[in-house]
Amino acid sequence: MRRFTALSVTLLAGGLLTAAPADALSGGTAVPVGTHPFLARIATPAKACSGALIDPSWVLTSATCLTATDSGAPSEAATVTVGDVDLGTGAGQSAKVTKVVRRTDRDVVLAKLEKPATGVSPITLGSAPQAGETLQVAGFGRTATEWVPARPRVAPFTVSAVDGSTVSVSSADGVDTCKGDAGGPAFRVSGGTAQLVAVSSASWQHGCLDVTETRSGGVEARVDDLGDWIRKQIVPTPVSCPAGAAIWTARTDGSLWRYVHLDPAGGAVSWSQPASPIGSGWTGRVLAGKGGVIWDIHRNNSASDPYPDGTLKRWVYSTSTGWSGGGQVGSGWARYLTPEYANRITVDEKNRIFMIDDQGRLRVYVWSDTTNWWVDGGGETLDTGWSRFDSITAAGDGVLYARKPGGEMFRFKYDFAASAWDSKDKQVGVGWQMFSEIFSPGGDILYGRGSTGTSPFNGQTGPVLRWYRYSANTETWAPSGPDHMGVTIGSGWNTEIHVTAAPDSCKLSG
């Protein structure tokens, strides 16, 4: 039994698209116009194959059809066409493939489209196939007489066996799937609705043009049981923020205020406003940590202040009991009181302090709640070359967003258990130079202050606070506001020295 992905581009250019119509696969019938528009044709410079649209932006196909590089991009340029495709007339909607996600246990990949298909109903997953059941198998591969048919073909196949990852099928007429049919859907029709259960993987290609094999039958890769896996790839991971996001503002008069954004997961304009400050003398660099921790890179306030500039102090705030702690836990941090370095320091949800030092190294200091002291007082170097960034913001467990002075934003994720980067130098946006400060409550949510916009309260133009949420699994940002520059959730926020959010307020829950 052989894989059947390849379809020579030389044949595509050879004028054979005008050949007389022939039956499906190596038999069957042409798919009637207006039915099954979810059928997808996938073309690369070296081959063509088939697939099924399962979401406006995603196609399911065979791993032999599309492969991925380490970054998830396809290893070769690929274009997907869906919606009553006709190669003779050019009908159908086309989009480039931007990302490929492969299953490791079967011949299946997901392909993300550069732009979503419109007006085309995706196919939904069905229940597990059963032995003896009849499935419809469709594809754009060659037939008994055509190298490149203009329209997809479909034929009934009987399920002869089912195991954990594959379905064996055969046709009463002895026809098979052919080259170009790889990844094509095997589906049942129930109540007039198509339900996807598998994609074509391999066959003997009996009856296909230029094939002399006498054996027949094929193997389909099951997809009916991949619903959870598919959702994790194509649906943004849910974020949980059970108590909202605690946001601390240190104002120019040294007062410290605590706000709560009540909908950090959705970006609604919903706040709990403080009536009064909860501290004074906060003129240094304030950084919120987990569990109510507030790190204070202290600025000396007077001759009677015993702590010099750059002293690191650790406070803990409780909404029920107030302040505790405040003792010195470090020194020599004065660099982060300067405008050049003020945004080159951040804290993640585990109370790890990340900083870019004067040698451009990304360093991390880890606090132990068990010993109530540093795991390594000297810190650890995670990477070099970070002088190219003028701002870093922790937005999850080891997740860092780093901004270049030109406004390009990059996402990183460091796995502390493996001591390695899960993701590095992934550019996720531009235009972020408009913010004087970027901070996060966790869960890949970012707030930016310092830009100008329209107040959500009175419609006046002035300084605003903007909200963003990135989904790493789908590589998408949450829908933006009317000006396409994030969602404006507040106005003002321009009289503060620094603003910081408790980084453990929100966590990914998927």
Side-chain angles (χ1 to χ4, degrees):
M1 194 169 292
R2 295 166 291 184
R3 304 288 182 189
F4 45 83
T5 312
L7 181 63
S8 169
V9 171
T10 303
L11 296 175
L12 287 174
L16 295 180
L17 298 182
T18 59
D23 287 341
L25 311 171
S26 59
T29 58
V31 174
V33 173
T35 64
H36 313 326
F38 56 80
L39 291 172
R41 186 178 188 275
I42 304 168
T44 77
K47 61 182 180 291
C49 43
S50 305
L53 188 75
I54 60 166
D55 174 271
S57 295
W58 292 86
V59 165
L60 202 60
T61 186
S62 161
T64 57
C65 174
L66 292 173
T67 55
T69 60
D70 290 341
S71 66
S75 57
E76 56 183 338
T79 300
V80 172
T81 307
V82 297
D84 285 326
V85 179
D86 189 315
L87 299 182
T89 65
Q93 298 181 40
S94 296
K96 294 179 180 179
V97 175
T98 60
K99 179 181 179 180
V100 177
V101 184
R102 180 169 185 170
R103 285 287 298 193
T104 58
D105 62 343
R106 66 194 73 180
D107 182 23
V108 171
V109 296
L110 276 165
K112 185 180 181 183
L113 308 185
E114 185 178 43
K115 58 183 179 181
T118 58
V120 180
S121 297
I123 189 172
T124 58
L125 297 187
S127 57
Q130 303 296 317
E133 178 181 9
T134 297
L135 298 176
Q136 304 297 316
V137 178
F140 287 85
R142 67 179 65 173
T143 70
T145 58
E146 289 181 288
W147 287 102
V148 188
R151 288 280 298 153
R153 304 296 194 263
V154 63
F157 282 75
T158 300
V159 175
S160 54
V162 180
D163 67 18
S165 61
T166 63
V167 183
S168 297
V169 296
S170 60
S171 168
D173 297 328
V175 302
D176 271 350
T177 47
C178 303
K179 286 188 176 182
D181 288 322
F187 57 96
R188 70 170 64 90
V189 178
S190 176
T193 301
Q195 299 175 350
L196 181 65
V197 298
V199 296
S200 296
S201 179
S203 85
W204 291 111
Q205 302 180 52
H206 175 67
C208 299
L209 182 62
D210 207 28
V211 175
T212 59
E213 177 63 60
T214 58
R215 289 169 291 185
S216 64
V219 173
E220 308 285 314
R222 286 182 60 182
V223 299
D224 60 279
D225 58 341
L226 299 185
D228 287 343
W229 175 74
I230 290 172
R231 280 187 290 273
K232 288 180 180 179
Q233 314 308 319
I234 74 174
V235 177
T237 302
V239 175
S240 175
C241 312
I247 296 179
W248 300 79
T249 72
R251 298 186 181 177
T252 52
D253 62 359
S255 62
L256 185 66
W257 299 69
R258 182 180 183 273
Y259 294 77
V260 178
H261 183 206
L262 300 176
D263 185 26
V269 183
S270 180
W271 292 90
S272 172
Q273 304 269 2
S276 60
I278 56 174
S280 60
W282 296 81
T283 57
R285 180 65 167 98
V286 179
L287 294 159
K290 76 167 186 177
V293 169
I294 299 293
W295 303 95
D296 172 29
I297 301 177
H298 189 71
R299 188 186 300 277
N300 186 271
N301 289 308
S302 65
S304 61
D305 184 347
Y307 298 104
D309 285 355
T311 300
L312 182 65
K313 303 174 74 175
R314 182 179 183 272
W315 296 86
V316 180
Y317 181 79
S318 166
T319 55
S320 58
T321 60
W323 291 102
S324 62
Q328 179 176 343
V329 295
S331 60
W333 296 60
R335 179 180 299 110
Y336 301 96
L337 297 175
T338 68
E340 181 183 0
Y341 282 90
N343 290 333
R344 291 176 170 174
I345 187 167
T346 187
V347 183
D348 79 354
E349 67 178 45
K350 301 294 185 181
N351 258 347
R352 305 181 187 106
I353 301 179
F354 297 83
M355 63 169 65
I356 301 172
D357 69 10
D358 59 348
Q359 299 178 50
R361 299 175 300 182
L362 177 68
R363 294 181 58 77
V364 63
Y365 291 80
V366 181
W367 183 265
S368 171
D369 290 329
T370 302
T371 63
N372 207 34
W373 197 249
W374 302 107
V375 173
D376 180 355
E380 177 187 358
T381 297
L382 298 182
D383 203 5
T384 58
W386 281 61
S387 57
R388 67 189 188 274
F389 299 118
D390 66 356
S391 171
I392 57 174
T393 305
D397 184 359
V399 174
L400 290 175
Y401 287 81
R403 181 188 69 182
K404 287 185 176 180
E408 303 95 333
M409 183 70 84
F410 298 82
R411 185 182 184 273
F412 297 75
K413 189 176 190 306
Y414 191 80
D415 183 339
F416 281 88
S419 298
W421 293 101
D422 280 346
S423 176
K424 192 175 182 182
D425 283 306
K426 169 108 180 135
Q427 185 167 353
V428 294
V430 295
W432 291 78
Q433 73 275 13
M434 66 179 174
F435 296 118
S436 60
E437 194 166 36
I438 302 165
F439 52 100
S440 172
D444 278 296
I445 297 165
L446 299 178
Y447 298 102
R449 74 180 186 100
S451 67
T452 299
T454 302
S455 169
F457 303 111
N458 58 24
Q460 299 298 309
T461 299
V464 295
L465 181 68
R466 299 181 186 269
W467 170 96
Y468 302 82
R469 180 185 163 198
Y470 184 74
S471 296
N473 65 317
T474 59
E475 299 180 344
T476 57
W477 291 93
S480 196
D483 60 4
H484 307 293
M485 296 168 61
V487 178
T488 301
I489 60 170
S491 58
W493 299 83
N494 61 322
T495 60
E496 289 77 13
I497 304 174
H498 290 293
V499 181
T500 179
D504 59 343
S505 295
C506 298
K507 296 181 181 181
L508 300 180
S509 57

